Amino acid sequence: MVEVKSLCKKYGDFVALDNLDFSIEDGEVFGFVGPNGAGKTTTMRIMAGLIQPDSGRITIAGTDALKNDRRLKSLIGYMPDFFGVYDNLKVIEYMEFYASIYGITGSKADKLCRKLLELVDLEDKSEFFVDELSRGMKQRLCLARCLVHDPQLLILDEPASGLDPRARLEIQKILKRLKERKKTIIISSHILQELSELCTSVGVIDRGKMLVKGKVDDIMLHLNASNPVQIHVTAGKQTAVNILKNEDKVKNISISDNDITVGFLGTPEDEADLLKKLITNNVKVTSFVRQSGNLEEIFMKVTEKREVLFSENKDKSSLW
Ligand SMILES: Nc1ncnc2c1ncn2[C@@H]1O[C@H](COP(=O)(O)OP(=O)(O)OP(=O)(O)O)[C@@H](O)[C@H]1O
Ligand SMILES: [Mg+2]
């Protein structure tokens, strides 16, 4: 669906994007993650045809996205990271205005817009003025707006930034509905916790470079391979420790009561073999668990030295 190759963008002498590469398959939800100033908005604006890169290529559904033709506009729904001011426009008028841009008017537009308002749980707000909506509602309206032409690809730049936990959950619920409708989605964020349920793949960008990318499951597996294994035994602790000490893949062992925490660099199959060995040697194992990582940890690991940037941007919510 999306192929980004060697994308470069400078603002004056400042390198915002440095040979960025990534791809997104049909129906995927791609979490585009990175600290403030990493280059997420720049990338998304280029994808949406709003700014030009200095070099590189982007193909969207087989179309050269940098040529910015009409077909591309019909393929993409772009939700920017800001919401403009819309004095004296009612919610339904706002929606119908955007529908008219795509040539949808009259009763067809009315029907479509009401359906989309329903999708984002704003059906009872259609007669409200846009400026009377809460921030979360505005963001949902913005999402509904970028669906009027039924695009295949949604480019969502921090759709839940600045929202409280309930409003974030609302956005998440709507994104799940869109995922079920087989939309391909790229969604940017600082914080990954909530994205982990939604995303099928993730790319971590920092200082204009893609540091990690891949399927969430693959990245998790890779990350988890360096997480400790926690073993709880009710008998045979010393035997267990002796076995563990002789295992190549065991890097360290710590013991607290009947819990043994093991730094174990092995695959899930290696874990199964180790568990079997313990059991056949009469160690009574009641629990054997590889501590699981989360996307948050991936982000922290790959952007380790940049943590301070999180707290610098005071006007943004620390979540998403
Ligand atoms: N129009 C511009 N002129 C000059 N520099 C810019 C411009 N737009 C962005 N930049 C710079 O390019 C870098 C990348 O910005 P961008 O907005 O793409 O980051 P981001 O990952 O979206 O950050 P955030 O998480 O804060 O939204 C930043 O250092 C930013 O200051
Ligand atoms: Mg941004």
Side-chain angles (χ1 to χ4, degrees):
M1 180 64 166
V2 179
E3 191 81 44
V4 174
K5 280 250 171 279
S6 315
L7 204 62
C8 293
K9 174 76 184 171
K10 279 188 184 175
Y11 295 109
D13 285 340
F14 179 79
V15 180
L17 299 181
D18 186 2
N19 272 303
L20 202 68
D21 281 312
F22 62 95
S23 56
I24 310 172
E25 284 164 32
D26 270 351
E28 262 197 86
V29 181
F30 182 83
F32 193 32
V33 192
N36 293 135
K40 304 179 294 295
T41 297
T42 301
T43 308
M44 291 174 133
R45 287 174 65 87
I46 293 173
M47 288 174 76
L50 297 172
I51 50 172
Q52 284 290 314
D54 299 326
S55 58
R57 278 190 299 124
I58 303 184
T59 317
I60 297 178
T63 301
D64 181 348
L66 301 179
K67 290 224 172 92
N68 195 16
D69 65 8
R70 283 177 66 86
R71 187 173 121 75
L72 191 78
K73 293 263 182 272
S74 68
L75 286 173
I76 293 177
Y78 170 64
M79 178 171 168
D81 56 350
F82 62 91
F83 190 88
V85 179
Y86 295 88
D87 288 329
N88 300 322
L89 211 51
K90 286 187 177 169
V91 166
I92 190 73
E93 292 168 343
Y94 173 90
M95 286 297 291
E96 287 176 355
F97 168 71
Y98 277 94
S100 73
I101 292 175
Y102 290 94
I104 310 162
T105 53
S107 60
K108 205 173 158 201
D110 190 63
K111 205 169 148 210
L112 169 74
C113 294
R114 289 187 192 277
K115 235 172 80 187
L116 289 174
L117 288 176
E118 209 174 304
L119 177 78
V120 299
D121 299 324
L122 287 177
E123 64 272 29
D124 56 342
K125 297 283 184 285
S126 62
E127 296 305 315
F128 274 54
F129 284 100
V130 172
D131 287 332
E132 291 170 352
L133 299 181
S134 71
R135 183 169 180 163
M137 289 174 194
K138 280 184 184 160
Q139 257 150 285
R140 273 159 29 216
L141 178 62
C142 200
L143 195 52
R145 173 195 96 186
C146 72
L147 295 168
V148 287
H149 56 303
D150 197 22
Q152 288 175 36
L153 173 68
L154 297 175
I155 301 172
L156 311 177
D157 198 355
E158 297 194 47
S161 77
L163 302 187
D164 68 32
R166 184 176 296 278
R168 281 203 311 277
L169 275 179
E170 277 288 322
I171 294 271
Q172 218 188 339
K173 198 171 81 187
I174 294 159
L175 295 178
K176 278 186 188 151
R177 288 178 195 160
L178 295 170
K179 184 182 179 182
E180 280 159 16
R181 293 179 182 202
K182 308 279 181 240
K183 299 283 184 202
T184 305
I185 304 175
I186 169 166
I187 174 170
S188 71
S189 168
H190 303 114
I191 298 291
L192 294 158
Q193 205 68 50
E194 289 120 321
L195 285 186
S196 60
E197 263 185 58
L198 194 71
C199 293
T200 51
S201 60
V202 68
V204 181
I205 183 177
D206 193 12
R207 284 170 275 188
K209 282 185 197 291
M210 200 64 105
L211 300 183
V212 180
K213 63 190 166 197
K215 302 265 182 233
V216 171
D217 294 345
D218 291 345
I219 292 180
M220 291 296 209
L221 202 65
H222 181 75
L223 179 88
N224 285 349
S226 58
N227 282 350
V229 172
Q230 206 108 42
I231 307 169
H232 186 84
V233 300
T234 51
K237 187 165 80 178
Q238 197 47 53
T239 312
V241 170
N242 292 341
I243 291 170
L244 290 167
K245 275 184 181 161
N246 288 315
E247 283 287 319
D248 279 351
K249 294 192 165 85
V250 170
K251 300 301 164 198
N252 53 62
I253 304 170
S254 65
I255 304 165
S256 159
D257 296 331
N258 285 338
D259 285 310
I260 309 172
T261 306
V262 185
F264 183 71
L265 293 176
T267 63
E269 288 73 34
D270 297 327
E271 287 170 34
D273 288 344
L274 177 60
L275 176 61
K276 192 172 164 200
K277 201 180 270 182
L278 292 172
I279 292 167
T280 49
N281 281 281
N282 287 328
V283 178
K284 304 282 181 225
V285 180
T286 56
S287 155
F288 185 102
V289 186
R290 170 77 83 175
Q291 286 180 1
S292 65
N294 57 35
L295 285 173
E296 200 58 50
E297 281 179 52
I298 299 176
F299 182 68
M300 283 312 202
K301 275 189 184 174
V302 295
T303 61
E304 240 161 26
K305 297 191 173 58
R306 305 265 295 165
E307 278 160 57
V308 66
L309 283 175
F310 279 102
S311 50
E312 277 179 6
N313 196 339
K314 293 275 191 286
D315 62 353
K316 283 206 171 162
S317 154
S318 65
L319 291 167
W320 276 42

